Amino acid sequence: MPRLGSRYSLMGGNLHISQLNKEEDIGIYQCLATNSLGTIVSREASLHIAYLENFKTQRRSPVRVREGQGVVLLCGPPPHSGELTFTWIFNEYPSFVIQDTRRFVSQKTGNLYIAKVEPSDVGNYTCVVTNTVTKSSVQGPLTPLVLRVDGVMGEYEPKIEVQFPEVVPVAKSSTVKLECFALGNPVPTISWRRQDGASFGRKVDINKASGVLEIPYFQLEDAGIYECVAENTRGRNSAKGKLSFYAAPHLTEKPQDVQKTIDDMLVWECKASAKPKPSYRWLKNGEPLDSMEHDRVQVNNGVLTISSLNLADIGMYQCVAENKHGRIFTNAELRVVAIAPDFSQNLLKAQTLARQGGDVLIECRPRMSPRGVISWRKGKEALRESHRVTVLDNGSLRISNVTKMDAGIYTCAARNQFGVASSAGSLLVKEPTAITSPAGHLDVTVGESIVLPCQVSHDPTLDLKFTWFFNEQLIHFGSHWAFFEKIGGRSAGDIMIRNIQLRHAGKYTCAVQTKVDSVSIATDVVVRGPPGPPVDCQVTAMTETTASVSWGPGMDNHSPILSYTIQARTPFSLGWQAVTTVPELLGGKQLSSTVNELSPWVEYEFRVLATNSIGTGEPSKPSKKSRTKEMLPWVTPGRVNGGGGGRSELVITWEPVPEELQSGPGFGYVVAFRPLGAQGWMQAAVTSPDASRYVFKNDSIPPFSPYQVKVGVYNNKGEGPFSPVTTIYSAEEEPSRAPGRLRARSVSASEVEVTWRPLAWSNNRRRILGYELQYWGERQKQDTASVIRTVGNKTSVLIRDLEGSSTYYMSLRAYNSAGVGPQSIIVNVTTKKPPPSQAPVKIMWNTSNSKVILRWDQVHALENESEVTGYKVMYSQDKHSHPSVVETNTTSLELSLPVNQDYVIQIKPFSEGGEGSSSQITIPKIAGSIAKGAAPESSPYSLVNLAALIITVRTVL
């Protein structure tokens, strides 16, 4: 132990050494910390003093070698402490030897290795040694390198001069460097490999020029045998060494501070991970633990056990885990207490409740050390143990088969050598709780609502808590359990299950709890419902129009399955469709069937549904898709027709056969046709299954000639049937003449009537299907004209929505399926002037004797409008009913109308140009009689009593 004095001093627990002396101060130091609880020691600290002395030899003899020979120049570093690095000066500073594949400076020995000497290597070499701690450097004596003149060295195989030890221990996470260099002629190449064949990771640095392998952050997977190989054209040589992984101890489990009572037992466990495995030892107050008391103190592989603790065991303990690579310390404090009995922290419960006929435990847990004697009293009498009354080893009192006589005040007394203490509490005996509802079994149907009873008898002074479980899972009454509802009162825990479902089948348990006991009852609920989905639906065989389907029964949900139904789906069907089967009715034990009336060459999926007395359940999973076999087509195209087309064409049309009815691949159509009355048929194949039209063109086809046509079908299996024979006509010629006597007459400002003389309706070359009328304004061109087409033999058309006082041009031509004929002459017509744009104003009205009298001002036409020729008066009971119309050429009108209704009246002028704008008024309902149907002499609004009543008028454009 260093003596505190001039060079040694303590500064807050730190040891300060001044004027370090390498002979006196180097060594291993530990800190001891002591207080009233004990002493602990720190981990060891090793003090090394770095230094570097000078080389003692001032001169070295020349080294003589032949050209081509390898050479080693020794450094021989002087006495030192601390890590060194080495470099060599060639001839004079600052010309340093550059390391490459031929020259190598070992950082282990400091020597310079030249694999093959060349004339340029001749000169003086100086070894420079640097201490990495003190940063000081010293130079060694000159070593001259001289070439011998007695010849040149021939080629020879590599000789490894620099190699690593056979075993290199490497600490976890450290960096290891392996050196390897060889002499030889030619200059050897250096390579590295692992004996186990594993590849080097990215972190491994191989400097081939300097012969150094560097492995940073060394881990367990980096351990193994490494081999250095040197080779040239004369041969190869190798050196091996094992990198062994080691790790200093690292604590994984350490003891914690603890407080024990006298005579108690202490067990402390100390564990550490290390490689190799660590050994353990224990210190007490900085000294090795006394193991003389073998019966009380035991140390076994890091576990410290001390039995029958006493006050002398108090102190600071340390576990030391160590191996050859290091050691680690951990500390823990042991306190041993000695106290008189004390109930202040653990009083007896003031009241303990017990159920009559049950068991009760009254705990007595005073704090005392060492443990003493426990005794019990009931009232003032000492309590005697019996087959019902027992004092346990821990001092607690157990009473079995409790009766009303056991009620009373109980006192627990504790005694040891340091004193006596006691604590008291009362025992109350309550009536037991019993469920009066019998356990049962309920059988219900899906959708019903049921009540699960839970009626109890209990001690009236105790509160009840009802808890329900479904298949051992707690029922939480609320949104997630919306089917369940509590309906019991204070002494009942009944619940209702509304709209019960299959998933609600199971075991229901009602648990009733009070402060003294708990009871439960279980009810099994069976829910009957429609069957579950059948399983394993599959197709076992397919023909052209049938499929063999099999399945397995699903859950019957407590009601026997009565029947099965098979459904099918294809890419062409709207969802799932019922199919016909053999047998037609599938009984509950039937697990296979043949489905018939299927379409050939169609991909089908099947599913099965089961039915019982409750209903039909969910369908099975669909079978795998299966295709029926192909066969000759049997469905013919529909709506075979034709006609029209261009000159010398026969156009035949039909409705294509849907894909699901084509019966196989390679589907197409056979079109057959012949002139009406001919014997043989001409045929053509149409290969597209989607085709709906065939055109036969031949200059010999006369126009508008009758042909018989039929369309057949075929696929890869062969030809199918033809459709019924239909008569159509070949293409007709377009009309050859223009309609005559085209006339146009203006009907109003917006309408023109056009008439003409029709052409002959039909002949043997063409038909007239109707007429096409073109009309355009004087500011338009004919190619932008509007077109009206008529159908049939019409001879007139009314053109609407024209502009007034405007000139329009018209032409007409006939049309048929071949096209349009020549244009007629062009005629023109000028529309009439527009009707008056002003609506009637100053409308006045009055009622008298079920009459309405209307008057208004004359409407005067503007210069560009046609003169007024009269007025239309329209009246109705509301805006939506059909109005009645009265025409007049004056500006007044008398209407006979009941006066007890509302009326909407419109007045509009008209002229040869049409109807003008209107004005609308509303006449409100006026009572027509005040007694026995006698009418008053006049209306309050008569012209006699009121000169005029002018109504606000709304103009309707």
Side-chain angles (χ1 to χ4, degrees):
M1 179 178 291
R3 298 178 181 177
L4 297 180
S6 58
R7 290 200 310 117
Y8 300 96
S9 60
L10 284 175
M11 303 178 64
N14 298 328
L15 177 63
H16 184 268
I17 307 175
S18 60
Q19 300 175 7
L20 284 172
N21 185 302
K22 66 182 180 181
E23 282 77 21
E24 296 181 6
D25 296 330
I26 62 173
I28 296 175
Y29 292 77
Q30 279 185 288
C31 173
L32 280 75
T34 302
N35 65 9
S36 60
L37 300 178
T39 300
I40 59 172
V41 297
S42 71
R43 65 180 182 179
E44 296 172 342
S46 179
L47 176 60
H48 301 272
I49 300 175
Y51 64 91
L52 177 62
E53 298 183 2
N54 290 318
F55 284 87
K56 291 188 169 57
T57 304
Q58 298 300 319
R59 186 176 181 85
R60 291 184 179 177
S61 301
V63 177
R64 303 179 184 276
V65 295
R66 293 188 179 94
E67 181 182 348
Q69 185 179 356
V71 68
V72 179
L73 302 183
L74 303 178
C75 178
H80 64 277
S81 176
E83 185 178 355
L84 303 179
T85 60
F86 302 91
T87 55
W88 283 78
I89 298 174
F90 178 54
N91 287 330
E92 60 183 19
Y93 181 84
S95 177
F96 289 95
V97 173
I98 299 175
Q99 297 186 75
D100 52 25
T101 57
R102 199 171 61 84
R103 291 172 292 190
F104 178 73
V105 176
S106 172
Q107 297 303 314
K108 304 293 184 184
T109 63
N111 299 337
L112 171 62
Y113 301 83
I114 302 177
K116 174 189 171 186
V117 175
E118 297 177 354
S120 60
D121 294 326
V122 174
N124 295 319
Y125 291 84
T126 304
C127 178
V128 180
V129 181
T130 301
N131 190 309
T132 60
V133 180
T134 64
K135 308 299 182 185
S136 59
S137 298
V138 295
Q139 294 184 9
L142 291 175
T143 301
L145 179 63
V146 180
L147 279 183
R148 292 170 56 174
V149 296
D150 55 352
V152 177
M153 185 73 174
E155 293 185 353
Y156 63 96
E157 66 181 11
K159 178 185 178 184
I160 294 179
E161 288 289 342
V162 179
Q163 58 186 345
F164 44 92
E166 290 185 1
V167 178
V168 180
V170 185
K172 178 182 178 182
S173 301
S174 65
T175 297
V176 61
K177 293 182 180 181
L178 303 181
E179 294 184 342
C180 182
F181 194 77
L183 310 182
N185 186 7
V187 175
T189 59
I190 304 295
S191 61
W192 296 85
R193 69 183 183 89
R194 288 184 60 157
Q195 187 168 348
D196 59 7
S199 59
F200 294 120
R202 292 184 178 180
K203 68 179 181 178
V204 177
D205 181 18
I206 302 177
N207 191 330
K208 293 183 178 180
S210 63
V212 176
L213 173 72
E214 181 176 339
I215 306 175
Y217 197 68
F218 193 85
Q219 299 297 312
L220 181 60
E221 60 267 20
D222 297 319
I225 297 176
Y226 287 73
E227 183 177 11
C228 162
V229 179
E231 55 187 332
N232 61 13
T233 57
R234 305 299 297 178
R236 67 194 300 271
N237 203 347
S238 65
K240 296 180 181 179
K242 180 179 181 181
L243 299 186
S244 61
F245 177 86
Y246 77 82
H250 171 73
L251 284 172
T252 59
E253 187 171 342
K254 53 187 178 180
Q256 303 295 325
D257 295 344
V258 69
Q259 178 174 294
K260 295 284 187 176
T261 60
I262 289 179
D263 294 333
D264 205 346
M265 174 181 284
L266 169 71
V267 178
W268 264 334
E269 190 167 0
C270 178
K271 284 186 180 179
S273 63
K275 187 174 177 64
K277 289 184 177 180
S279 61
Y280 301 90
R281 54 190 174 90
W282 287 82
L283 306 177
K284 177 185 177 184
N285 293 327
E287 299 294 333
L289 189 62
D290 186 4
S291 57
M292 296 298 291
E293 302 179 66
H294 293 294
D295 56 337
R296 245 182 19 96
V297 180
Q298 294 183 358
V299 176
N300 184 13
N301 195 28
V303 178
L304 171 64
T305 303
I306 305 177
S307 59
S308 302
L309 288 170
N310 55 51
L311 297 178
D313 295 320
I314 295 174
M316 296 299 297
Y317 290 77
Q318 289 181 282
C319 171
V320 184
E322 56 191 338
N323 63 11
K324 63 182 180 180
H325 302 294
R327 60 175 58 93
I328 190 167
F329 292 75
T330 182
N331 317 317
E333 178 190 356
L334 171 62
R335 292 188 179 186
V336 180
V337 295
I339 55 176
D342 180 15
F343 283 94
S344 60
Q345 302 298 320
N346 292 293
L347 292 171
L348 259 66
K349 289 179 63 175
Q351 280 190 346
T352 300
L353 301 180
R355 174 179 61 87
Q356 185 177 348
D359 297 342
V360 67
L361 178 69
I362 306 177
E363 292 186 334
C364 178
R365 296 184 300 167
R367 184 168 178 258
M368 58 180 174
S369 180
R371 181 162 184 79
V373 178
I374 300 291
S375 60
W376 284 86
R377 297 193 307 273
K378 180 185 178 186
K380 296 183 178 181
E381 299 293 329
L383 189 64
R384 294 184 179 181
E385 293 191 59
S386 66
H387 67 283
R388 286 196 317 110
V389 180
T390 307
V391 178
L392 304 181
D393 292 341
N394 63 4
S396 298
L397 176 65
R398 176 183 294 278
I399 304 176
S400 303
N401 193 17
V402 174
T403 68
K404 291 284 188 179
M405 298 297 294
D406 293 322
I409 297 176
Y410 289 80
T411 301
C412 174
R415 177 193 301 272
N416 69 5
Q417 62 263 41
F418 300 107
V420 178
S422 64
S423 179
S426 61
L427 174 63
L428 305 179
V429 180
K430 302 292 183 178
E431 293 289 337
T433 305
I435 296 179
T436 58
S437 302
H441 177 92
L442 290 178
D443 194 323
V444 296
T445 302
V446 166
E448 293 182 351
S449 295
I450 63 170
V451 173
L452 300 180
C454 188
Q455 304 283 330
V456 298
S457 63
H458 64 100
D459 192 300
T461 63
L462 296 177
D463 292 329
L464 295 175
K465 179 182 178 183
F466 292 93
T467 307
W468 279 90
F469 298 88
F470 172 52
N471 291 337
E472 312 301 330
Q473 182 182 1
L474 178 65
I475 296 178
H476 299 277
F477 294 90
S479 58
H480 183 64
W481 299 82
F483 291 89
F484 299 89
E485 179 184 349
K486 289 183 177 181
I487 61 173
R490 182 177 179 275
S491 298
D494 302 352
I495 64 169
M496 174 179 284
I497 307 176
R498 299 184 183 275
N499 188 22
I500 197 165
Q501 301 297 308
L502 289 172
R503 65 179 181 274
H504 297 143
K507 179 182 178 182
Y508 289 83
T509 303
C510 174
V512 187
Q513 187 176 10
T514 68
K515 288 185 178 181
V516 299
D517 60 359
S518 61
V519 291
S520 63
I521 188 175
T523 302
D524 291 320
V525 176
V526 174
V527 181
R528 301 184 187 276
V535 298
D536 196 24
C537 177
Q538 55 183 303
V539 178
T540 57
M542 296 286 279
T543 68
E544 292 83 355
T545 58
T546 66
S548 297
V549 180
S550 66
W551 62 91
M555 301 290 293
D556 66 3
N557 291 326
H558 308 290
S559 181
I561 296 174
L562 302 177
S563 64
Y564 290 100
T565 303
I566 301 179
Q567 295 177 338
R569 178 174 65 180
T570 73
F572 317 107
S573 64
L574 295 174
W576 292 91
Q577 306 291 332
V579 294
T580 58
T581 59
V582 177
E584 185 176 355
L585 298 177
L586 304 178
K589 297 188 180 298
Q590 185 96 22
L591 297 178
S592 64
S593 177
T594 299
V595 180
N596 53 21
E597 299 182 13
L598 302 179
S599 296
W601 197 245
V602 172
E603 201 170 54
Y604 282 89
E605 292 176 281
F606 298 94
R607 69 182 188 182
V608 184
L609 298 88
T611 301
N612 60 15
S613 61
I614 309 300
T616 299
E618 293 294 317
S620 68
K621 290 183 179 179
S623 66
K624 292 183 179 179
K625 293 180 179 179
S626 302
R627 187 183 290 275
T628 49
K629 294 182 179 180
E630 57 186 301
M631 64 178 290
L632 286 174
W634 54 277
V635 177
T636 60
R639 297 184 181 179
V640 176
N641 209 324
R647 188 184 297 273
S648 301
E649 287 184 348
L650 179 65
V651 179
I652 304 168
T653 62
W654 62 89
E655 192 175 84
V657 176
E659 183 180 349
E660 64 267 28
L661 300 177
Q662 294 173 4
S663 300
F667 183 83
Y669 302 95
V670 178
V671 181
F673 53 92
R674 66 184 179 187
L676 183 64
Q679 295 299 316
W681 292 88
M682 291 180 283
Q683 292 188 349
V686 179
T687 58
S688 171
D690 299 322
S692 60
R693 188 172 186 264
Y694 173 73
V695 179
F696 175 68
K697 186 174 180 64
N698 193 299
D699 292 339
S700 65
I701 298 177
F704 203 57
S705 298
Y707 275 78
Q708 289 183 311
V709 297
K710 59 182 180 180
V711 181
V713 290
Y714 72 90
N715 61 19
N716 288 349
K717 280 288 187 178
E719 292 189 13
F722 278 91
S723 67
V725 176
T726 302
T727 300
I728 65 172
Y729 286 83
S730 61
E732 59 191 342
E733 294 180 346
E734 63 271 10
S736 59
R737 294 172 54 202
R741 294 185 184 178
L742 181 64
R743 301 285 187 269
R745 181 178 67 87
S746 175
V747 179
S748 68
S750 62
E751 296 175 331
V752 169
E753 181 184 40
V754 182
T755 61
W756 60 88
R757 186 177 66 187
L759 299 174
W761 179 245
S762 176
N763 59 28
N764 61 351
R765 300 180 67 88
R766 65 185 61 83
R767 295 169 299 170
I768 301 298
L769 298 182
Y771 297 91
E772 183 179 278
L773 175 69
Q774 288 185 315
Y775 65 94
W776 62 96
E778 56 187 341
R779 291 186 296 274
Q780 293 178 279
K781 295 182 179 180
Q782 186 174 356
D783 56 4
T784 63
S786 299
V787 177
I788 298 177
R789 270 202 169 195
T790 68
V791 178
N793 203 20
K794 292 185 66 174
T795 59
S796 66
V797 68
L798 185 65
I799 305 175
R800 292 184 170 87
D801 299 325
L802 302 177
E803 294 182 4
S805 301
S806 300
T807 300
Y808 287 88
Y809 300 88
M810 293 95 178
S811 70
L812 188 71
R813 50 187 173 182
Y815 72 88
N816 61 15
S817 62
V820 294
Q823 178 180 287
S824 70
I825 63 170
I826 297 175
V827 299
N828 66 72
V829 65
T830 301
T831 54
K832 297 181 182 297
K833 288 184 178 181
S837 58
Q838 299 296 321
V841 296
K842 295 184 179 179
I843 300 175
M844 298 177 291
W845 60 272
N846 70 313
T847 60
S848 175
N849 297 328
S850 299
K851 293 182 180 179
V852 175
I853 302 173
L854 298 169
R855 295 181 186 276
W856 60 90
D857 283 358
Q858 173 72 34
V859 176
H860 298 283
L862 301 178
E863 183 178 352
N864 62 339
E865 297 174 346
S866 52
E867 291 296 331
V868 176
T869 57
Y871 298 89
K872 283 186 178 181
V873 178
M874 295 166 285
Y875 59 92
S876 61
Q877 292 184 10
D878 55 58
K879 296 179 181 179
H880 306 293
S881 60
H882 186 72
S884 300
V885 180
V886 179
E887 292 188 5
T888 179
N889 55 8
T890 65
T891 59
S892 63
L893 184 65
E894 181 179 291
L895 299 175
S896 295
L897 299 175
V899 295
N900 59 347
Q901 294 180 356
D902 292 342
Y903 287 94
V904 176
I905 297 179
Q906 282 187 332
I907 305 173
K908 63 171 66 174
F910 62 85
S911 66
E912 67 172 6
E915 296 180 357
S917 301
S918 66
S919 296
Q920 177 177 297
I921 63 172
T922 300
I923 298 179
K925 177 173 63 178
I926 300 173
S929 63
I930 55 177
K932 295 185 178 181
E937 294 183 358
S938 63
S939 166
Y941 300 101
S942 66
L943 292 174
V944 177
N945 299 324
L946 184 63
L949 178 61
I950 300 176
I951 306 299
T952 301
V953 177
R954 178 168 63 89
T955 299
V956 179
L957 297 178

